[in-house]
Amino acid sequence: MSITKNLNHLYRNISNDIVVVAVSKTKPNEDILEAYNSGHKSFGENKVQELIEKHNALPKDIEWHFIGHLQRNKVKNIIKFIHLIHSVDSYKLLNEINKRAKNENRVVDCLIQVKIATEENKYGFNFEEIDDVINFSKNLKHINVKGFMGMSTLTNDNNIINNEFSKLQNIFKNYKSKTLNILSMGMSNDYNLAIENGSNMIRLGSIIFGKRN
Ligand SMILES: *Cc1c(COP(=O)(O)O)cnc(C)c1O
């Protein structure tokens, strides 16, 4: 199937209040342009260098989402144009984004990444830390915390995934407001479960662009 067909198929099957971030990491610019020309505007990348190259080469009205672990020393390279950073996982990163955003005279939208998977090496804050992180962020004038992002455990066991998504949905419900209103959960293999658990932003790569090598 073509990228356009994949997107059309997807849009027929999900409600139109759900934002689809097309995860284009490792995929060439032609693939992104095909999606763009079919009307899609939101793309996600997880490597700073790759994101910058794509941003430079592609239409300027693309909304770029950063979804990978972000190193502090690279924040300055994307701060001018980034649309939403999904992967804020430390206080130091919050401070750095705030500082660089201030230099650019902008307020940057961010999501707090929450560690919902049991796997050892997943980034993100623990549930117990969220309250402090939210309060801390309120003092950062150049950061707008728009919500939360979570990644489930890589497993075929839907009960485990469901349980993890449901915990993050509960956190989201506690903090949800007019301005904090994004719940980014769900990838190609688990987006239906994520939507059942209140996700309103899904990050889809392989189901749109095909498998990555
Ligand atoms: C790669 C990636 C995705 C998309 O993964 P697919 O399984 O191809 O849909 C979503 N979110 C993050 C954080 C990723 O790194």
Side-chain angles (χ1 to χ4, degrees), residues 21-25 44-46 66-69 86-87 113 149-151 154 184 186-191 202-212:
V21 177
V23 176
S24 47
K25 62 189 187 194
E45 291 284 337
N46 69 343
F66 197 81
I67 61 169
H69 178 62
H86 290 230
S87 42
Q113 183 169 355
M149 184 273 247
M151 286 169 84
L154 196 62
S184 167
M187 309 181 11
S188 293
N189 62 334
D190 59 14
Y191 70 93
I202 52 181
R203 308 176 311 271
L204 306 180
S206 43
I207 207 173
I208 295 171
F209 294 108
K211 276 212 178 77
R212 289 177 297 274

Side-chain angles (χ1 to χ4, degrees), residues 108-127:
V108 172
D109 288 344
C110 292
L111 304 179
I112 301 301
Q113 183 169 355
V114 185
K115 200 188 292 177
I116 59 173
T118 46
E119 289 154 290
E120 275 293 313
N121 58 357
K122 282 270 159 78
Y123 293 106
F125 288 100
N126 294 314
F127 288 108

Side-chain angles (χ1 to χ4, degrees), residues 168-189:
L168 189 54
Q169 181 183 28
N170 287 334
I171 299 269
F172 178 59
K173 280 181 180 161
N174 285 342
Y175 294 97
K176 197 170 186 286
S177 70
K178 266 214 180 90
T179 53
L180 194 160
N181 54 18
I182 297 177
L183 182 55
S184 167
M185 359 182 251
M187 309 181 11
S188 293
N189 62 334

